[in-house]
Amino acid sequence: MDVRSEISVATNLGDLRHALRTPLNHILGYSEMLLEEEGISSSEEATRLLTAIRADAQVILSSLEVRLSPGHNTPDVDRLRADIHTPVLQMVASIASLIQSSKVNVLTDLFRISTAVGELLSFVQGDNLSPVRPTAAFKSPARRVTVSGHLLVVDDNEANLEMMARQLAREGFSVETAIDGKTALSKLDHDHFNLVLLDVVMPGLSGLEVLDKIKSNDNLRNVPVVMVSASDELESVGTCIEHGAEDYFTKPFQPALLRARIFATLERSRLQDQERQRSREMEQISRELKRSNEELNRFAYAASHDLQSPLRTVVSYLQLLARKLDKDLDEQAREMLDLAVGASRHMSELIQNLLSYSQVGTQAQKLEPISCDAVMEETLRHLEGPICDNDAIVRSGPLPTIIGDRVLLVQLFQNLIGNAIKYRSEERPAISISADQEDDCWHFVVRDNGMGIDPKYFDRVFDIFYRLHGADRPGTGIGLAICQRVVNRLGGRIWVESQVGTGSAFHFSLPSEPAH
């Protein structure tokens, strides 16, 4: 519906505000553009008149906000007419002087301002308003500055359409226009746009209906839509945002504000596109990683089986050879056979530990409430042999129930307690396990009276294959690496405190709640 018709049939506050804002939008918008034109800005008198017109329009806009504010139950139309009578007449005089003295190349824009001023004058006089004659549709100029984005402007008022498109083209945007929702949707189907500026009130398909169609289309849903309207009703704003609009601003608007908000919306859209691209890349990486882990798991099992079998054969034949040649072997030969059997068994243990290390990182976790007291009981059953052989004392205080993976927790405790026994001092091994809650985690300590560790090696003891005591003590150098991997997998951290000859305290923290 055209502006004059809107004013003549306005029956409520929102309709009247909407109808009067449109000519004010034209006056402010075209005045701003003309003030930037070289032919106008070089004329002191023309600049003065345009500045006066813009100032009068701002006065009228302020009166509109006061007299027809949302707090009024009914439009205070008579008071509004009285308030804006003088500034409207001043604008009439100013635009008349401008038209008489200006060059031909700016007359079209001045006539648009004159038409909008005439609409306000008709409202002040209380006359019936006749329809506005439409202007030609806007086409982007063939030559323009560096393009910052491809925009679609949709508005059923051709003066609004032409003015907004010209302002945006000046900012370096590539602009296309659509006079109605159907045309806009057709253009969106056949071209790519970085942003849509969409009028809310349109005949046929309303702006809200067009917005819904854009957001329900898989190919268009990510195109940012900014709603534009002369209506400042909060309900309208909220509805548009709820339906997926990125922004909403009302006419008349300042060109600088329009520019800033469009650039902000485009930048936000660009960042969202980057985030979506990163998400797609992460999903692809996740799928590749899952596939790689599955292949690694299969390889680890296959390698373990294929390597363990010949090692068992070597050990068996070496033992058979030792028994068969028992009487013919001297002490040196027996020692050599024992070394070969020991090396084969060490290799078998190394392969098994490597398999365990790889499985910590690749097997899926089964997270559930786990009693650490129950985990400790299972761990002690597994270590019954070494505990008895070394006459070790293992004590544990009350341990919490946490969300974790039982198999990983058993591995963790078994390796830490097993290491404490393995690296004992001359004293009888004494090992204690305790736990205290600290903020959002449980702090566990496994303390022993063993050989101890020089602080300069603290950063290296968790490295895979690193053996602090070399061949003097049994082991593969993988146990503490497995502990670190288990704790990291469960969302915690592990560290050690120790001094040589005074024992060690291995600390690790685990979250009270599972990581999301």
Side-chain angles (χ1 to χ4, degrees):
M1 182 181 294
D2 58 77
V3 175
R4 293 176 184 265
S5 299
E6 285 185 22
I7 295 176
S8 65
V9 301
T11 57
N12 60 58
L13 189 63
D15 288 343
L16 189 55
R17 273 205 311 272
H18 183 282
L20 291 174
R21 279 173 173 272
T22 299
L24 286 169
N25 182 51
H26 295 171
I27 294 167
L28 289 168
Y30 282 111
S31 297
E32 190 75 32
M33 285 194 293
L34 285 171
L35 282 168
E36 296 174 4
E37 291 284 350
E38 186 175 346
I40 290 287
S41 60
S42 61
S43 169
E44 186 175 327
E45 178 63 12
T47 300
R48 184 188 67 79
L49 290 170
L50 277 172
T51 303
I53 289 171
R54 189 173 58 178
D56 286 329
Q58 290 288 1
V59 169
I60 295 170
L61 181 61
S62 298
S63 296
L64 176 64
E65 298 302 324
V66 172
R67 299 302 180 193
L68 302 184
S69 67
H72 285 70
N73 295 323
T74 58
D76 198 350
V77 178
D78 290 338
R79 292 292 298 276
L80 177 62
R81 284 192 171 108
D83 285 349
I84 70 175
H85 182 270
T86 298
V88 168
L89 291 180
Q90 290 174 174
M91 285 198 296
V92 170
S94 297
I95 193 65
S97 298
L98 267 172
I99 290 173
Q100 289 176 2
S101 61
S102 296
K103 296 178 181 180
V104 174
N105 63 326
V106 297
L107 286 180
T108 301
D109 291 344
L110 291 175
F111 280 129
R112 292 188 179 105
I113 296 176
S114 178
T115 300
V117 172
E119 293 164 7
L120 294 177
L121 181 60
S122 294
F123 169 71
V124 169
Q125 294 172 342
D127 296 339
N128 292 326
L129 305 178
S130 58
V132 177
R133 186 174 61 186
T135 59
F138 175 81
K139 294 183 179 179
S140 297
R143 297 178 62 190
R144 49 182 176 262
V145 296
T146 304
V147 171
S148 302
H150 190 39
L151 311 187
L152 177 63
V153 181
V154 188
D155 198 312
D156 66 303
N157 184 295
E158 293 189 10
N160 283 343
L161 201 63
E162 192 268 352
M163 181 180 63
M164 287 185 63
R166 277 178 57 186
Q167 288 175 332
L168 294 169
R170 284 185 175 192
E171 299 298 334
F173 294 108
S174 169
V175 184
E176 289 193 34
T177 61
I179 198 67
D180 55 44
K182 184 178 179 181
T183 304
L185 292 171
S186 177
K187 290 196 173 192
L188 284 164
D189 282 338
H190 293 91
D191 199 356
H192 171 73
F193 293 93
N194 300 109
L195 183 141
V196 178
L197 283 160
L198 180 59
D199 189 27
V200 175
V201 181
M202 294 190 298
L205 285 175
S206 70
L208 192 60
E209 290 172 322
V210 175
L211 174 63
D212 286 339
K213 289 183 179 295
I214 291 173
K215 294 305 176 182
S216 63
N217 187 318
D218 291 338
N219 296 323
L220 302 177
R221 67 171 71 250
N222 294 325
V223 178
V225 179
V226 174
M227 307 302 288
V228 184
S229 177
S231 171
D232 59 351
E233 297 288 347
L234 289 179
E235 184 177 354
S236 176
V237 178
T239 300
C240 290
I241 299 300
E242 288 173 1
H243 283 241
E246 272 66 31
D247 202 350
Y248 183 112
F249 54 89
T250 57
K251 310 168 191 174
F253 43 78
Q254 296 294 335
L257 180 60
L258 172 67
R259 177 174 60 252
R261 290 172 75 166
I262 287 177
F263 274 114
T265 301
L266 287 172
E267 179 64 13
R268 186 164 58 247
S269 176
R270 185 185 66 81
L271 294 174
Q272 289 171 347
D273 286 342
Q274 287 183 350
E275 187 61 32
R276 282 189 288 268
Q277 179 62 27
R278 282 195 292 268
S279 295
R280 287 191 291 268
E281 291 172 356
M282 289 302 297
E283 288 173 4
Q284 178 65 24
I285 291 171
S286 179
R287 287 193 294 269
E288 291 295 325
L289 183 60
K290 183 179 180 181
R291 181 185 60 79
S292 177
N293 283 340
E294 290 172 351
E295 291 179 356
L296 180 61
N297 227 7
R298 288 194 293 269
F299 171 78
Y301 276 114
S304 175
H305 179 270
D306 292 346
L307 290 174
Q308 292 281 18
S309 181
L311 279 173
R312 284 193 293 267
T313 301
V314 169
V315 171
S316 297
Y317 276 103
L318 286 173
Q319 290 173 331
L320 286 172
L321 184 62
R323 283 198 296 269
K324 184 174 183 179
L325 302 177
D326 182 53
K327 295 179 181 179
D328 300 325
L329 294 175
D330 58 21
E331 190 63 29
Q332 186 179 12
R334 291 178 191 280
E335 185 177 342
M336 291 172 66
L337 279 173
D338 288 342
L339 286 172
V341 170
S344 299
R345 286 175 173 165
H346 178 74
M347 176 64 79
S348 178
E349 182 184 3
L350 184 62
I351 291 169
Q352 187 59 45
N353 286 346
L354 276 172
L355 177 62
S356 298
Y357 182 80
S358 70
Q359 287 175 336
V360 169
T362 58
Q363 286 188 336
Q365 295 187 73
K366 184 181 179 181
L367 297 177
E368 56 185 349
I370 302 293
S371 166
C372 289
D373 286 324
V375 168
M376 183 57 56
E377 291 177 8
E378 183 175 349
T379 300
L380 296 180
R381 287 198 300 271
H382 292 172
L383 294 172
E384 187 174 352
I387 290 173
C388 291
D389 293 344
N390 291 274
D391 194 26
I393 302 171
V394 182
R395 298 188 178 92
S396 66
L399 300 179
T401 294
I402 64 172
I403 302 296
D405 183 290
R406 185 187 60 80
V407 173
L408 293 181
L409 288 169
V410 170
Q411 273 186 299
L412 175 61
F413 282 105
Q414 186 170 319
N415 275 290
L416 289 175
I417 295 171
N419 266 13
I421 295 172
K422 190 183 299 181
Y423 299 104
R424 58 172 293 181
S425 64
E426 295 301 320
E427 299 180 25
R428 180 184 183 186
I431 303 153
S432 65
I433 300 94
S434 61
D436 295 296
Q437 189 159 22
E438 297 179 356
D439 298 328
D440 57 350
C441 68
W442 283 97
H443 176 197
F444 293 81
V445 183
V446 178
R447 197 179 302 274
D448 65 56
N449 63 343
M451 300 172 63
I453 302 170
D454 192 315
K456 67 182 179 181
Y457 297 116
F458 285 176
D459 291 337
R460 299 197 60 190
V461 292
F462 296 103
D463 293 346
I464 190 169
F465 298 131
Y466 182 74
R467 298 182 65 191
L468 182 61
H469 302 287
D472 296 339
R473 295 278 173 150
T476 60
I478 300 177
L480 287 178
I482 290 176
C483 291
Q484 186 179 54
R485 205 166 196 190
V486 166
V487 171
N488 289 345
R489 189 89 192 274
L490 293 172
R493 67 184 188 96
I494 186 170
W495 67 100
V496 63
E497 294 176 349
S498 181
Q499 289 288 340
V500 175
T502 62
S504 302
F506 282 87
H507 302 255
F508 61 93
S509 62
L510 296 176
S512 302
E513 298 292 336
H516 296 288

